[in-house]
Amino acid sequence: MKAFLDWNHVTFAQPIFFLLLLPVIFMIWWQSRGRKNDNPALRLTTLSGIDRTKIGGKAQYRPLLFVLRVIGLVALCIALARPQSTNTTENIDTEGIDIVLAMDVSGSMVAEDFKPNRIEAAKAVALKFVDQRPTDRIGLVIFSGESFTMCPITIDHNVLKEQIAQVKNGMIVDGTSIGMGLATAVDRLRFATGRSKVIILMTDGVNNMGLIDPMTALEIAKAYKVRVYTIGIGTRGQAVIPVQTPMGVQKQMMQVDLDEPLLRQIAAGTNGKYFRATDNKSLEGIYKDIDKLEKTRVDITSYKHYAELYFPFALIAVLCLFLEMLLRYTVFRSIT
């Protein structure tokens, strides 16, 4: 009975039987038309003595026969159309990717050639990227003069996004240690179980310090079969950078110094790809391209279960039609 009352997912296996409702509609129309056009068997000059006469009990309830017939025929049509309650279940099998975002937070990342600056623009596109990868495990590593794991790879993207939002310049020793940033990111992926391991490394400088050389970090990445997408961020030429002076924060034009050959070598050595971002729009487009290149495989198998609901309608039809015939030939039997 519970299935009968659940009409959230009801379909009809044989809807063509609803055409049988047309004769029922015609029958209702004909009955109402017949009542309007009844010709009196006896003509009287006045009805003043009859209009106060009450209709007898049986005559008053005689239209019930027609109502029972209509209900029975309508229920029969619905039963023949075979209403079914469908219950769909899905088995989702995902083969995710393990990703680490390695983000440069050195002093030059506050340059204002991006709006509002490089580091804030990088955080904004990283948050959008995370939202587009709901089934992947993603982590966050920051680096400048040294490296630090802000968030291990996790499927809890809310925690990850909170950590991305807190990234800022000055959290660790200043400088640029690309080798340390890459090595730490690889370390986060050493025991990852995803279909593939990916690092998105973004920097705007040249490696100038750190305990691990970028070439050594590259060999480590290759050993663990980690693919690295490198992003060189910053305009070509010069950029405005806020600098702390005894007179307060002053904005100065400084030369953009980016080691593109190194970033290309790291990407090529790990079967990745190098990108150059010169403004907010191009940076956002790069993350979209990486999103397309690294697709997670999601297999969805659907199962549909049907529960037949015709029996209650068939029962109503039989009861109504049987009751109509029984009353017609007993209680409401006409004497001709």
Side-chain angles (χ1 to χ4, degrees), residues 247-312:
M247 303 296 293
V249 177
Q250 302 288 330
K251 294 184 179 181
Q252 300 178 4
M253 293 294 295
M254 299 186 68
Q255 185 68 31
V256 175
D257 199 8
L258 179 65
D259 192 349
E260 287 192 281
L262 173 63
L263 298 180
R264 292 182 188 276
Q265 187 175 358
I266 292 173
T270 58
N271 295 318
K273 190 175 181 180
Y274 168 70
F275 300 90
R276 179 65 189 268
T278 55
D279 54 30
N280 294 62
K281 185 176 181 180
S282 61
L283 181 60
E284 188 170 352
I286 288 168
Y287 271 87
K288 288 181 179 178
D289 289 341
I290 296 174
D291 180 55
K292 293 176 183 177
L293 290 169
E294 294 294 338
K295 280 299 179 186
T296 300
R297 193 175 72 192
V298 180
D299 296 327
I300 301 177
T301 306
S302 296
Y303 302 93
K304 281 191 175 182
H305 306 278
Y306 295 93
E308 296 287 349
L309 304 178
Y310 70 88
F311 180 75

Side-chain angles (χ1 to χ4, degrees), residues 2 12 38 57 63 79 120 122 129-130 138 141 190 196 203 218 223 230 252 299 303 315:
K2 185 177 179 180
F12 292 91
D38 277 349
E120 292 300 323
F129 179 79
V130 170
I138 307 176
V141 168
R190 274 195 307 160
S196 60
T203 183
L218 171 58
T230 55
Q252 300 178 4
D299 296 327
Y303 302 93
L315 183 61

Side-chain angles (χ1 to χ4, degrees), residues 72-244:
L73 292 175
V74 170
L76 180 62
C77 292
I78 296 175
L80 291 173
R82 283 183 60 198
Q84 299 172 329
S85 177
T86 60
N87 181 20
T88 303
T89 58
E90 290 184 344
N91 182 23
I92 302 176
D93 182 21
T94 62
E95 195 172 354
I97 298 172
D98 294 324
I99 303 172
V100 172
L101 306 176
M103 190 179 299
D104 189 345
V105 294
S106 59
S108 57
M109 283 293 289
V110 296
E112 297 178 356
D113 48 348
F114 286 66
K115 300 300 179 185
N117 57 46
R118 294 175 183 176
I119 198 166
E120 292 300 323
K123 287 163 58 177
V125 295
L127 289 171
K128 291 182 180 178
F129 179 79
V130 170
D131 286 335
Q132 293 168 355
R133 316 288 303 194
T135 61
D136 294 329
R137 297 197 307 164
I138 307 176
L140 174 65
V141 168
I142 60 171
F143 67 93
S144 53
E146 55 188 16
S147 60
F148 176 72
T149 301
M150 284 282 289
C151 182
I153 55 173
T154 178
I155 196 65
D156 189 344
H157 291 176
N158 289 328
V159 172
L160 173 64
K161 289 163 68 175
E162 288 177 4
Q163 294 300 312
I164 293 175
Q166 294 176 16
V167 171
K168 60 183 179 180
N169 169 249
M171 299 182 73
I172 48 181
V173 177
D174 201 13
T176 303
S177 179
I178 297 174
M180 289 288 291
L182 178 57
T184 302
V186 173
D187 186 58
R188 295 294 90 194
L189 293 170
R190 274 195 307 160
F191 304 108
T193 57
R195 179 168 59 93
S196 60
K197 307 171 186 178
V198 172
I199 293 173
I200 303 176
L201 187 147
M202 184 184 63
T203 183
D204 67 345
V206 176
N207 190 83
N208 53 27
M209 61 190 304
L211 299 176
I212 301 178
D213 181 76
M215 291 297 100
T216 302
L218 171 58
E219 293 303 318
I220 296 173
K222 290 166 64 176
Y224 285 103
K225 298 180 181 180
V226 177
R227 183 161 46 253
V228 183
Y229 294 99
T230 55
I231 302 174
I233 184 171
T235 55
R236 301 180 187 276
Q238 294 184 328
V240 176
I241 299 179
V243 178
Q244 184 67 45

